[in-house]
Amino acid sequence: MKQQEKEKFRDSIGTISESGKRNFIFPKKPKGKFYNYRTYVSWVLLAFLVSAPFIKIKGNQFLLFDVIERKFNIFGFPFWPQDFYLLVISMLVSVVFIILFTVVFGRIFCGWMCPQTIFMEMVFRKVEYLIEGDRSKQIKLDKQEWNAEKIRKRVLKWIIFFLISFVIANVFLAYFIGSDKVLGYISDGPEQHISTLIKLLAFTAVFYFVFAWFREQVCIIVCPYGRLQGVLLDNKSINVAYDFVRGEDKNGRKPLRKNENREELGVGDCIDCKQCVQVCPTGIDIRNGTQLECINCTACIDACDAMMDKVGFERGLIRYASEDNIEKKEKFKFNARLIAYSVVLTVLIGVFITMLFLRTDVEATILRLPGQTFQSTDTTIKNVYTIKLINKTTEDFDNVEVKLISHKGKINLVGGILSLKKQGLTEGTLFIEIDKKDLTSSKEKLKIGIYYKGKLIETTSTNFAGPLKIN
């Protein structure tokens, strides 16, 4: 019968009933060592998440992802679309790191660092506990008629949820358009930025929907990382796991009775109190093994340890462990699979760091003007070019010089002076004139230097066209 129940559980998601309707989860308020640690971690991460777009380093926003204006700041360093190769490599580093981390520690990121979990469990859930009470009171409130008490508590909760969602939407908006713009919109008043306010309210509605109603379904249904762990986990991965060897023994679980000898009865240390089930934010029974809904939040560990203390049993019936550690008592080992992932990760990080050091503050592009042919005199060849300079720094370059490095010749700038504003783009036109005697082919490769205050700040190359035969 128990085996049938287990198989039935594995054929369905705990938050969906047999009729296909949503089973809302009312988890018991967790408490214990791991929950305290998670609270401290969440405080740090929440402080970072809220403050990051408002921190400035040398005038640069600490984190900015302005896709429309094509401005990106990572830890205060400005990046441009021309630095896209760095983004690709960083994404590869992230993917390999996530794979390695998941193979070793399972879904621990979801329970400790994921913004969805942090906001849900450490912000919205705590507001809910404060207004509606713990699990039993929430269930009672949900079942009772819409009387004055229920209306008052629900409306108060919904208003606070909406206000928190509105704040989160403003913070996220600062990541994408810049904190200065957001603060400017606030000081100007909403009536002057109606279109922005509408977009902001749309984002607020999304966050409200996620944290007030959709909740754990994000982790179970939407999040791709949850599906990824099913592919990457194996018997050696460390997860929040139930020690079925110790908990079940020969005859399974049995509620604790006074003065009974559980060893003689052949029952394990699990007293079937179901505290681990009641405290789970995704509504699963961890005793059924590793499941896709488990986010490794450790709430069941704290609940189980508290019960073990009460009945005088050893802690750790639910703990961080691998299946091989529980069943075979094997310790964690760095196998060939993990070594391969580590080598790939190390190489990618090395490539990324090298390219960061090779990245220049100014990027130059010089191209021949389309549709224009070279001009020839008795002694020289002249070509016309367009020049594009991108300043990735927060410093203004007032007078930029362009000089030939590979050949002797002249460069004449149309307008005479090139100036670069901080984090700006400048375009211009220039003529390059070279003596025929210094040319060896009809398509010469030129190396050109960009100088500021006599210092070479960037080099680039271009083609120089000439006659088929150079005399």
Side-chain angles (χ1 to χ4, degrees):
M1 180 63 181
K2 287 184 178 181
Q3 183 64 29
Q4 289 177 353
E5 290 177 357
K6 184 180 289 189
E7 289 175 358
K8 182 179 178 182
F9 178 89
R10 291 186 180 279
D11 286 341
S12 62
I13 297 175
T15 54
I16 303 296
S17 66
E18 291 183 1
S19 61
K21 292 183 179 180
R22 170 82 176 277
N23 281 332
F24 280 90
I25 306 298
F26 299 97
K28 186 177 179 180
K29 185 177 181 180
K31 57 182 178 180
K33 178 180 70 175
F34 284 103
Y35 183 71
N36 291 337
Y37 291 157
R38 283 177 56 216
T39 301
Y40 302 146
V41 171
S42 69
W43 287 348
V44 173
L45 293 177
L46 281 170
F48 174 80
L49 186 66
V50 173
S51 63
F54 300 96
I55 297 173
K56 297 288 185 67
I57 297 178
K58 293 182 179 180
N60 290 325
Q61 187 169 309
F62 191 68
L63 288 176
L64 175 66
F65 309 96
D66 191 342
V67 178
I68 296 175
E69 297 291 335
R70 297 183 296 176
K71 291 182 179 180
F72 307 92
N73 293 339
I74 310 295
F75 304 133
F77 293 97
F79 290 87
W80 290 72
Q82 287 76 10
D83 298 316
F84 183 72
Y85 63 95
L86 290 173
L87 175 64
V88 173
I89 296 175
S90 65
M91 291 296 291
L92 289 174
V93 170
S94 301
V95 168
V96 176
F97 175 78
I98 289 172
I99 290 173
L100 177 62
F101 194 80
T102 305
V103 169
V104 178
F105 295 109
R107 210 172 171 179
I108 191 174
F109 169 84
C110 299
W112 288 76
M113 292 173 282
C114 177
Q116 162 68 21
T117 303
I118 290 174
F119 278 118
M120 184 68 250
E121 301 302 323
M122 298 299 174
V123 179
F124 288 88
R125 193 84 77 182
K126 287 190 174 184
V127 171
E128 200 165 57
Y129 288 137
L130 184 64
I131 296 173
E132 297 184 353
D134 209 342
R135 170 185 164 83
S136 58
K137 292 182 178 179
Q138 287 183 25
I139 295 174
K140 180 182 177 182
L141 185 69
D142 186 65
K143 292 179 178 179
Q144 76 183 40
E145 297 293 329
W146 282 91
N147 55 20
E149 179 194 11
K150 185 171 182 176
I151 293 173
R152 176 176 54 82
K153 288 183 177 180
R154 286 290 169 88
V155 170
L156 176 61
K157 182 182 76 170
W158 292 339
I159 291 173
I160 294 175
F161 276 13
F162 180 83
L163 293 175
I164 296 173
S165 299
F166 186 72
V167 172
I168 295 173
N170 276 273
V171 171
F172 272 82
L173 186 65
Y175 278 99
F176 294 105
I177 69 170
S179 57
D180 291 339
K181 283 187 178 180
V182 171
L183 294 175
Y185 291 162
I186 293 172
S187 62
D188 291 342
E191 67 279 356
Q192 296 187 33
H193 304 281
I194 298 298
S195 61
T196 302
L197 178 63
I198 292 171
K199 295 172 185 175
L200 192 61
L201 290 175
F203 276 107
T204 301
V206 170
F207 287 120
Y208 180 84
F209 169 76
V210 167
F211 295 115
W213 190 83
F214 206 50
R215 300 192 161 197
E216 73 285 340
Q217 299 301 306
V218 173
C219 307
I220 298 172
I221 300 172
V222 179
C223 180
Y225 182 52
R227 308 292 75 74
L228 182 65
Q229 75 155 349
V231 179
L232 297 175
L233 295 183
D234 58 23
N235 291 342
K236 295 177 175 56
S237 301
I238 299 172
N239 279 296
V240 172
Y242 166 68
D243 189 342
F244 59 90
V245 175
R246 173 187 156 192
E248 305 293 316
D249 206 354
K250 298 175 184 177
N251 298 319
R253 314 160 194 158
K254 183 178 181 297
L256 186 66
R257 297 288 185 269
K258 191 175 180 179
N259 298 326
E260 69 179 358
N261 190 323
R262 296 180 70 85
E263 188 174 346
E264 289 182 1
L265 294 172
V267 292
D269 284 354
C270 179
I271 60 174
D272 205 22
C273 63
K274 293 185 172 57
Q275 290 298 305
C276 58
V277 179
Q278 293 179 13
V279 82
C280 180
T282 59
I284 66 169
D285 188 341
I286 191 65
R287 297 173 298 178
N288 287 329
T290 302
Q291 296 150 64
L292 66 87
E293 299 98 326
C294 180
I295 58 172
N296 281 209
C297 69
T298 69
C300 55
I301 296 180
D302 284 332
C304 186
D305 284 347
M307 289 305 300
M308 293 295 101
D309 290 342
K310 287 181 180 179
V311 298
F313 293 168
E314 183 183 355
R315 286 186 165 204
L317 184 59
I318 301 175
R319 63 182 186 273
Y320 278 117
S322 66
E323 289 190 29
D324 282 353
N325 175 257
I326 291 173
E327 192 169 6
K328 304 175 184 177
K329 305 302 179 185
E330 289 185 1
K331 292 184 178 180
F332 175 78
K333 293 180 181 179
F334 224 68
N335 55 27
R337 182 188 181 194
L338 296 178
I339 293 172
Y341 286 141
S342 301
V343 169
V344 173
L345 181 62
T346 303
V347 170
L348 286 173
I349 291 174
V351 171
F352 180 69
I353 292 174
T354 302
M355 287 190 169
L356 274 179
F357 278 108
L358 293 175
R359 176 181 179 267
T360 57
D361 291 335
V362 174
E363 184 167 317
T365 305
I366 299 178
L367 299 172
R368 285 186 66 232
L369 196 64
Q372 297 293 320
T373 60
F374 63 88
Q375 301 173 25
S376 177
T377 65
D378 291 339
T379 58
T380 64
I381 302 293
K382 184 188 289 185
N383 281 279
V384 61
Y385 296 84
T386 59
I387 181 170
K388 181 186 290 184
L389 297 175
I390 297 174
N391 183 2
K392 302 175 183 177
T393 72
T394 55
E395 178 185 359
D396 289 332
F397 296 154
D398 298 327
N399 192 356
V400 177
E401 297 179 282
V402 184
K403 299 178 181 179
L404 280 169
I405 296 176
S406 59
H407 292 70
K408 291 181 180 179
K410 298 178 182 178
I411 294 181
N412 296 313
L413 284 166
V414 176
I417 297 176
L418 274 178
S419 296
L420 271 176
K421 297 298 182 182
K422 59 182 181 181
Q423 296 185 24
L425 182 149
T426 297
E427 294 181 300
T429 305
L430 57 83
F431 292 91
I432 300 178
E433 187 175 2
I434 300 176
D435 286 345
K436 288 181 178 180
K437 62 182 177 61
D438 293 327
L439 300 173
T440 59
S441 70
S442 62
K443 195 176 182 180
E444 200 88 2
K445 194 79 170 180
L446 302 184
K447 186 177 181 181
I448 301 171
I450 311 299
Y451 292 82
Y452 177 63
K453 292 183 178 179
K455 181 182 177 182
L456 180 67
I457 58 175
E458 171 65 326
T459 59
T460 186
S461 61
T462 190
N463 292 320
F464 188 86
L468 293 176
K469 187 176 180 180
I470 304 296
N471 294 324

